[in-house]
Amino acid sequence: MYTKFAMNPSIIHTATNPSSPSTTTLLPPHFICTPFPLRQCKTHLRRRRYRISVTRSSSQPPVTVVKPDVFGDKRELTGVQSLVEVMSPPIRIASSALIFAAAVAAGYGLGIRFGGSRNSGIGGAVVLGAAGAGAAFALNSCVPEVAAASLHNYVVGCDDPGALKKEDVETIANKYGVSKQNAAFNAELCDIYGKFVSAVLPPGGEDLKGDEVETIIKFKQSLGIDDPEAASVHMEIGKRITRQRLETGDRDADVDQRRAFQKLLYVSNLVFGQASGFLLPWKRVLKVTDAQVEVAIRDNAQRLYAFRFKSIAQDLSVSQLISLREAQLLYRLSDELAADIFSEHTRKLVEQNISTALNLLKSRTKSGNRVIEELDKILAFNNLLISLKSHPDSSRFARGVGPVSLVGGEYDGDRKFDDLKLLYREYVTDALAGGLMEEKKLAALNQLRNIFGLGRREAESIAMEVTSQVYRKRLQQAVSSGALAAAASKAAYLQNLCEELHFDPHKAVEIHEEIYRKRLQQLVADKGELSDQDVETLEKIQISLCIPKETIDAIHADICGSLFEKVVKEAIAAGVDGYDAEIQKSVRKAAFGLRLTREVAMSLASKAVRKIFISYIQRARAAGSRTESAKELKKMIAFNSLVVTELVADIKGESVDTTPEEPTKTEELQMEDEEEWDSLQSLRKARPSKDTKGKPVQTEINLKDDLQERDRADLYKTYLLFCLTGQVTRIPFGAQITTKKDDSEYILLNQLGGLLGMSDKEIVEVHRSLAEQAFRQEAEVILADGQLTKARMEQLDVLQKNVGLPPQYAKNIIKSITTTKLSAALETAVGRGRLNIKEIRDLKENGVDVDTMISESLRESLFKKTVDDIFSAGTGEFDEEELYQKIPKDLNIDPEKAKGVVLELARTRLSNSLIQAVALLRQRNHSGVVNSLNNMLACDKAVPSTPLSWEVPEELADLFLVFVKSDPDDEKRSRMQYLLNISDSTAEALEAMKDKGSPNEKVEEEFVF
């Protein structure tokens, strides 16, 4: 369009009076290249831009009405234009013809009159005819301008330019006989359309109202402008806004201009629809990217769609949802963004209810019912959305219809989370106000929990806390009214109560236990003990609340046990000298007055006493010497005898003097051989006799579970060594004095074993191990070389009696020492090759366990050495049974593995024996030659061989001759002939030569060389 206008500059601007303010502008100012009209248009648009928004109904967007002032003032016509305006096209044509004819006639008449000739008349006719034609042309040429001015004045005169109809424009065009494609008339249409679009679009700081697209499309259709021409107008408006952004220096103004351009871009794309892609070249002309276009469409669509929600309340209807969906499609908004806007709006509606409820809840006035009303509104709205989501026509509804969520809103932070908990607690309290929980209330609570975004544990914790209070109240009413006592089944009554409140039975059991615990604490705190009446009261509570006996015992052990433990600690703290009758009385009173069972009382006392025992043990371990350790252990034994024994007797209600004696540990031992155990002197001394006087000590409280078996044995051994060696006293100059103790220390040793919780078997093991250790140390010195003689046996017998070790254990130690010594000697002998198979067999006949004393690797080495000796013995014999069965059995090695060793050695020795025989032959060692050939025969028996070859055949004949001279038997002679590959004729010749002596000297010299 711009090019089209540029090709017709004569129609761009026409004025009859330049000084007149009613200058007619056929094109909008932004189509003119001169700067002055551009600035004039800018000021003109700013001053005369008015929009009136009239709200028709709450459910419809406002309708934009454009005032006619935006198009400027009415244009005044000049004389000719006024004449043209009143003339119809036929009259105008007739008038033009009349003017032309009159001018021709007048010219002809004047020419003849003044020229006097016909030619002069014709000339005058031509001149005046041309002038008349010019006047007629001038009259017809201003018709488009008059039509454009008439259209402009008509639009300005309309009260609502948006109500302009297409017929009105066509009437004006037809009136003047002008086509809409006429440049001047079309330019006026574009100018009117551009001003209308600029007036319809709101300023930069305002949002679109939603009817702009419809209004512009209607006005465009009314004007009859084609889409390419209208698109050019939109592009020119965009250019103007872009230039204004570049010219302005104000940041706020720049933001407004940018928003105005985004609105223009968005509205333009909606006006032209799918054709906007090629009708509106934003990217090419204004360097606008596709992303900027998408952002403009998205932002404005969101604002328009969000504006539609101002009239949406919680009384949502199907028609409203359908209308929102239509608006979304009209605004070209994506489903995802539409769903977000819908969710945000529903969240804000719910947040208003939440804020109102919180203000009422936190106010000082009692407004509980109003709080619940607000929460019920939230639930009702949520239910409405859920039902609409499953509506048959839900596909036609706005996107995002579903349950309400507070995520991303005002109450999505941790600071507001506590407020939601308060509201949830208030609703739970109201639901339980009647003393029971209805099913519908339970469902409402679940919905409210989901809306508030509370976790399951948090919601259950709040509900459990409120329900616990209601349960206590209902339980108190049942007890005070006697309903619980009168119930046939108290368990069924309590179960029914839990079901009415939807209360967890396990939590109810905890409440019952808490009630019983508090009552027991009150009764014990008053008198420090429980009377019969108190016990009866507690039994009633137990029966009424159905508390198990095990739970009752545990509660008594916790509450009464803490008091009893305090009394026990005071008794223990009194020490050996402070445990008097007063303390005994307090212990007995606590043990029986608190109604503790003997097991519980003993368990509590054991816990306190064992802590004291452990302190003694720690000091004994930290002592610097055995004597100091023994002293600490003696203190522990004395503490147990004087304090703990009395304490246990008082707890049991028994007298120490009348306590029946328990059988001592040594009496309980069931020994197979009494004489054997009597030989252990230390054990015999530690065993108390029946004539021993003194009160028994307790061993029920011991350290068996506090110390490991090894630690208990070490402590017992420490004190046993103290009993055996006596007390060692160091004196100056590095000397020491040992003071022997009497046998009374062994009685304390027996008590120490009981305190350590050692069994009879463990005690005997400590005594025996200590005796074995002493005996072994002396026996290893006596049997240093491993030889056991008669004199040494006598020494060992005396040592065994002195140590007190049973004879069989002494024999085992002696055997162990000798076996160890012998094993080392055998290992050395085998390693050095000084032991053969014959000696091994002799050792096994004497009862020596060769398999244990000699390792398998050494036994295999011994077998290999034995086989090698057989193959190098020079006898020529090979016994398969001996090598494959007997010797492997004697050495306890694998027969198959032994056979493999034999075969490998035989193959190796076979070839080596021939080489060795030739070497000895050259040395004229005939006996060595015979031995080597016999070894070769022995290897051949193990691994039969083929005839052997040699590079000097004469030497093989000499070997056979030497072998024949040794007078072998026929079998060996025949086999040797075969192995040396000697023919029968050669063998006979050599047989004949054996009696003539050795070979001649010449041959011998050759052998030497």
Side-chain angles (χ1 to χ4, degrees):
M1 285 297 297
Y2 183 77
T3 306
K4 180 179 178 181
F5 297 149
M7 295 296 295
N8 298 277
S10 60
I11 65 173
I12 292 179
H13 188 271
T14 302
T16 57
N17 187 6
S19 62
S20 175
S22 60
T23 302
T24 302
T25 303
L26 300 181
L27 287 178
H30 44 267
F31 278 77
I32 303 174
C33 298
T34 57
F36 176 75
L38 179 62
R39 290 193 297 269
Q40 182 183 7
C41 175
K42 180 177 178 182
T43 307
H44 176 72
L45 289 178
R46 284 186 177 180
R47 292 180 178 179
R48 300 182 179 274
R49 187 175 187 177
Y50 301 99
R51 303 173 75 247
I52 300 176
S53 297
V54 181
T55 303
R56 296 184 176 181
S57 64
S58 59
S59 60
Q60 296 180 354
V63 177
T64 302
V65 177
V66 179
K67 282 188 175 184
D69 295 346
V70 299
F71 302 104
D73 299 331
K74 288 186 178 183
R75 297 174 185 172
E76 296 181 0
L77 300 178
T78 59
V80 176
Q81 292 176 344
S82 300
L83 180 62
V84 171
E85 182 183 12
V86 297
M87 295 173 65
S88 63
I91 297 176
R92 187 174 64 252
I93 294 174
S95 300
S96 299
L98 181 63
I99 293 174
F100 177 74
V104 170
Y108 184 80
L110 291 175
I112 291 177
R113 181 179 179 182
F114 293 101
S117 65
R118 185 178 179 185
N119 291 334
S120 299
I122 294 173
V126 170
V127 172
L128 291 181
F137 176 78
L139 179 66
N140 288 309
S141 64
C142 68
V143 171
E145 298 177 5
V146 175
S150 178
L151 177 62
H152 174 81
N153 294 335
Y154 179 80
V155 174
V156 171
C158 293
D159 295 334
D160 182 9
L164 182 69
K165 295 181 180 180
K166 187 176 183 180
E167 293 78 7
D168 300 335
V169 178
E170 293 177 351
T171 301
I172 295 176
N174 294 331
K175 175 182 178 181
Y176 296 99
V178 187
S179 175
K180 290 184 179 181
Q181 302 302 323
N182 182 272
F185 193 78
N186 195 11
E188 183 64 29
L189 291 176
C190 293
D191 181 48
I192 294 173
Y193 179 73
K195 293 178 179 180
F196 184 83
V197 171
S198 299
V200 168
L201 294 178
E206 298 181 9
D207 294 331
L208 297 172
K209 298 300 183 290
D211 66 327
E212 290 84 357
V213 175
E214 181 181 358
T215 303
I216 292 174
I217 292 175
K218 181 181 177 182
F219 190 74
K220 178 172 70 70
Q221 293 175 351
S222 299
L223 292 178
I225 303 178
D226 296 335
D227 285 347
E229 297 173 350
S232 299
V233 175
H234 284 260
M235 293 299 299
E236 289 299 326
I237 297 175
K239 292 178 182 179
R240 176 177 55 79
I241 297 175
T242 303
R243 286 194 296 270
Q244 289 176 351
R245 284 191 59 193
L246 296 176
E247 293 173 1
T248 184
D250 189 2
R251 182 176 181 181
D252 294 336
D254 179 73
V255 173
D256 292 341
Q257 293 297 332
R258 183 171 65 252
R259 288 197 59 185
F261 179 76
Q262 288 181 341
K263 285 181 285 188
L264 171 67
L265 193 150
Y266 172 68
V267 171
S268 300
N269 278 270
L270 293 184
V271 168
F272 298 103
Q274 297 295 333
S276 60
F278 60 90
L279 290 177
L280 301 172
W282 304 109
K283 183 177 181 180
R284 178 174 58 82
V285 177
L286 299 179
K287 308 301 181 182
V288 179
T289 63
D290 295 336
Q292 291 175 327
V293 174
E294 293 179 1
V295 170
I297 295 175
R298 183 195 63 194
D299 293 347
N300 286 279
Q302 284 180 326
R303 295 189 186 98
L304 282 176
Y305 192 67
F307 180 78
R308 296 293 297 268
F309 281 89
K310 290 185 177 181
S311 60
I312 303 299
Q314 292 185 355
D315 54 345
L316 197 61
S317 63
V318 173
S319 59
Q320 288 178 320
L321 293 176
I322 296 176
S323 175
L324 289 173
R325 175 61 175 171
E326 294 173 351
Q328 175 202 340
L329 297 176
L330 177 64
Y331 300 152
R332 295 172 61 182
L333 183 65
S334 64
D335 290 348
E336 182 180 359
L337 295 176
D340 292 340
I341 294 174
F342 190 93
S343 300
E344 181 182 0
H345 182 71
T346 55
R347 185 184 66 243
K348 290 181 179 180
L349 292 177
V350 171
E351 287 175 351
Q352 294 176 2
N353 296 117
I354 293 175
S355 301
T356 303
L358 283 173
N359 293 333
L360 293 173
L361 184 62
K362 295 180 180 181
S363 62
R364 296 182 180 181
T365 59
K366 295 182 179 180
S367 54
N369 293 332
R370 295 179 59 189
V371 173
I372 302 303
E373 290 177 0
E374 293 295 330
L375 297 179
D376 286 336
K377 291 180 181 179
I378 296 175
L379 293 173
F381 183 51
N382 188 66
N383 290 330
L384 175 61
L385 292 176
I386 294 175
S387 62
L388 290 174
K389 184 178 181 181
S390 58
H391 194 274
D393 295 334
S394 58
S395 60
R396 300 173 56 196
F397 292 171
R399 297 298 181 259
V401 178
V404 179
S405 175
L406 299 180
V407 177
E410 178 184 357
Y411 293 93
D412 191 24
D414 295 336
R415 296 181 179 179
K416 299 290 186 177
F417 201 64
D418 293 336
D419 293 338
L420 298 178
K421 289 182 179 180
L422 290 175
L423 293 177
Y424 188 80
R425 181 189 300 275
E426 185 70 17
Y427 201 82
V428 174
T429 304
D430 180 75
L432 293 171
L436 54 86
M437 176 68 75
E438 299 177 357
E439 291 292 338
K440 62 179 183 179
K441 289 291 185 179
L442 193 63
L445 283 172
N446 290 331
Q447 286 192 18
L448 194 63
R449 176 178 67 83
N450 294 331
I451 295 173
F452 287 171
L454 298 177
R456 182 176 296 276
R457 292 184 179 180
E458 296 169 336
E460 289 179 353
S461 176
I462 296 173
M464 187 67 67
E465 182 179 350
V466 177
T467 312
S468 298
Q469 298 175 359
V470 177
Y471 181 80
R472 290 175 184 273
K473 185 177 180 180
R474 290 283 304 274
L475 188 61
Q476 182 181 3
Q477 294 174 354
V479 173
S480 59
S481 63
L484 180 59
S489 173
K490 296 175 175 55
Y493 185 90
L494 296 174
Q495 180 67 27
N496 184 46
L497 183 58
C498 292
E499 292 176 356
E500 290 180 356
L501 296 175
H502 289 272
F503 191 50
D504 186 7
H506 296 89
K507 186 64 178 179
V509 170
E510 295 178 3
I511 293 176
H512 299 165
E513 295 175 3
E514 183 181 354
I515 294 173
Y516 187 90
R517 181 184 295 273
K518 288 184 178 180
R519 184 56 178 164
L520 178 60
Q521 288 176 344
Q522 293 175 356
L523 296 175
V524 172
D526 295 339
K527 297 173 289 185
E529 60 180 352
L530 296 175
S531 61
D532 294 339
Q533 184 178 359
D534 295 338
V535 173
E536 182 179 356
T537 301
L538 293 174
E539 288 180 353
K540 290 182 179 179
I541 296 176
Q542 175 191 355
I543 295 172
S544 299
L545 300 180
C546 301
I547 305 176
K549 183 67 168 59
E550 296 79 8
T551 305
I552 295 297
D553 294 340
I555 294 175
H556 276 264
D558 184 21
I559 297 175
C560 299
S562 60
L563 298 176
F564 179 74
E565 187 176 4
K566 181 179 179 181
V567 174
V568 170
K569 288 182 179 179
E570 291 177 354
I572 293 173
V576 176
D577 299 329
Y579 197 87
D580 51 13
E582 187 67 25
I583 293 180
Q584 287 183 343
K585 182 179 178 182
S586 63
V587 172
R588 289 177 178 267
K589 178 182 177 182
F592 295 95
L594 293 175
R595 307 301 174 108
L596 291 172
T597 62
R598 178 174 293 186
E599 291 76 12
V600 174
M602 286 299 298
S603 175
L604 295 172
S606 174
K607 182 180 178 182
V609 170
R610 283 186 286 110
K611 289 183 180 180
I612 304 300
F613 285 169
I614 291 295
S615 64
Y616 282 113
I617 296 297
Q618 291 174 350
R619 289 196 294 268
R621 288 177 174 176
S625 63
R626 183 189 304 161
T627 302
E628 296 298 327
S629 298
K631 288 182 179 180
E632 294 297 331
L633 294 176
K634 287 179 69 175
K635 291 179 182 180
M636 183 180 70
I637 297 170
F639 175 76
N640 177 68
S641 177
L642 300 177
V643 178
V644 180
T645 302
E646 296 286 345
L647 178 65
V648 172
D650 292 334
I651 292 174
K652 295 181 178 181
E654 300 172 351
S655 174
V656 178
D657 297 332
T658 59
T659 302
E661 295 184 0
E662 297 180 359
T664 59
K665 294 182 179 298
T666 54
E667 290 177 351
E668 294 177 355
L669 291 174
Q670 302 295 329
M671 301 179 182
E672 298 179 358
D673 190 357
E674 189 68 23
E675 294 180 358
E676 174 186 350
W677 298 110
D678 287 341
S679 62
L680 281 171
Q681 297 179 5
S682 59
L683 181 60
R684 186 170 59 253
K685 291 179 181 180
R687 183 189 308 162
S689 62
K690 297 181 180 180
D691 299 333
T692 302
K693 296 182 180 180
K695 62 182 181 178
V697 295
Q698 73 84 27
T699 56
E700 188 174 351
I701 301 176
N702 54 61
L703 298 175
K704 182 177 181 180
D705 298 331
D706 298 282
L707 299 175
Q708 297 182 0
E709 181 179 352
R710 182 177 179 179
D711 296 334
R712 291 185 281 119
D714 291 341
L715 292 170
Y716 187 87
K717 184 184 291 186
T718 299
Y719 201 83
L720 176 58
L721 290 174
F722 174 76
C723 295
L724 293 173
T725 59
Q727 181 175 356
V728 178
T729 304
R730 296 186 181 274
I731 60 176
F733 305 104
Q736 59 183 15
I737 301 175
T738 302
T739 304
K740 290 288 184 180
K741 295 289 184 179
D742 54 13
D743 294 342
S744 62
E745 295 292 342
Y746 289 94
I747 303 300
L748 299 180
L749 178 64
N750 180 66
Q751 296 180 12
L752 177 62
L755 291 179
L756 294 176
M758 298 180 67
S759 63
D760 298 333
K761 183 179 180 181
E762 293 172 346
I763 292 176
V764 172
E765 185 66 27
V766 173
H767 283 265
R768 189 182 65 194
S769 64
L770 194 59
E772 288 179 353
Q773 182 180 356
F775 182 81
R776 181 179 291 275
Q777 290 177 353
E778 296 294 333
E780 286 181 350
V781 176
I782 297 173
L783 301 173
D785 56 357
Q787 301 295 325
L788 184 60
T789 62
K790 183 177 180 181
R792 292 179 177 178
M793 282 299 300
E794 292 177 355
Q795 292 180 1
L796 293 174
D797 290 340
V798 174
L799 177 62
Q800 178 257 326
K801 294 178 181 179
N802 292 336
V803 174
L805 186 67
Q808 64 271 25
Y809 291 99
K811 292 180 181 179
N812 293 336
I813 294 174
I814 295 172
K815 183 178 179 181
S816 174
I817 294 174
T818 56
T819 300
T820 304
K821 299 291 185 181
L822 180 60
S823 176
L826 291 176
E827 293 274 357
T828 304
V830 172
R832 296 180 179 180
R834 296 183 299 179
L835 193 65
N836 54 34
I837 188 62
K838 185 177 180 301
E839 293 172 342
I840 292 295
R841 288 170 176 170
D842 293 339
L843 289 172
K844 295 188 73 173
E845 290 178 358
N846 292 328
V848 178
D849 189 3
V850 178
D851 299 340
T852 305
M853 296 182 181
I854 304 176
S855 64
E856 183 178 0
S857 60
L858 288 177
R859 282 185 272 119
E860 291 177 355
S861 300
L862 179 60
F863 176 77
K864 187 175 182 179
K865 180 179 179 300
T866 302
V867 175
D868 191 66
D869 291 342
I870 291 175
F871 286 151
S872 61
T875 61
E877 301 296 332
F878 180 80
D879 189 352
E880 292 186 0
E881 183 180 1
E882 178 74 11
L883 287 176
Y884 290 161
Q885 298 180 10
K886 293 182 179 180
I887 296 178
K889 182 178 180 182
D890 293 335
L891 295 177
N892 193 20
I893 60 178
D894 185 12
E896 295 296 329
K897 190 175 183 180
K899 186 175 181 180
V901 172
V902 172
L903 297 178
E904 182 181 359
L905 285 174
R907 294 188 187 96
T908 305
R909 296 287 297 179
L910 183 65
S911 58
N912 291 339
S913 296
L914 177 61
I915 297 172
Q916 187 178 13
V918 173
L920 293 173
L921 177 65
R922 292 175 180 176
Q923 297 175 10
R924 291 177 289 184
N925 187 353
H926 294 173
S927 60
V929 171
V930 173
N931 290 336
S932 296
L933 293 176
N934 283 329
N935 292 337
M936 188 171 65
L937 288 174
C939 295
D940 178 66
K941 290 180 180 180
V943 183
S945 175
T946 58
L948 302 175
S949 61
W950 190 251
E951 60 184 1
V952 184
E954 291 80 1
E955 290 182 339
L956 295 179
D958 292 337
L959 290 176
F960 184 74
L961 177 60
V962 172
F963 184 75
V964 170
K965 287 184 177 182
S966 65
D967 296 328
D969 53 26
D970 294 339
E971 182 182 357
K972 290 184 178 179
R973 184 186 297 109
S974 176
R975 189 62 182 171
M976 183 58 66
Q977 178 185 348
Y978 172 78
L979 291 176
L980 295 178
N981 198 14
I982 304 295
S983 63
D984 294 339
S985 59
T986 304
E988 292 176 0
L990 293 175
E991 287 282 350
M993 293 175 58
K994 71 177 182 178
D995 296 331
K996 293 182 179 181
S998 59
N1000 56 36
E1001 293 298 329
K1002 182 178 180 181
V1003 176
E1004 289 181 359
E1005 289 299 326
E1006 290 179 358
F1007 288 161
V1008 171
F1009 289 104

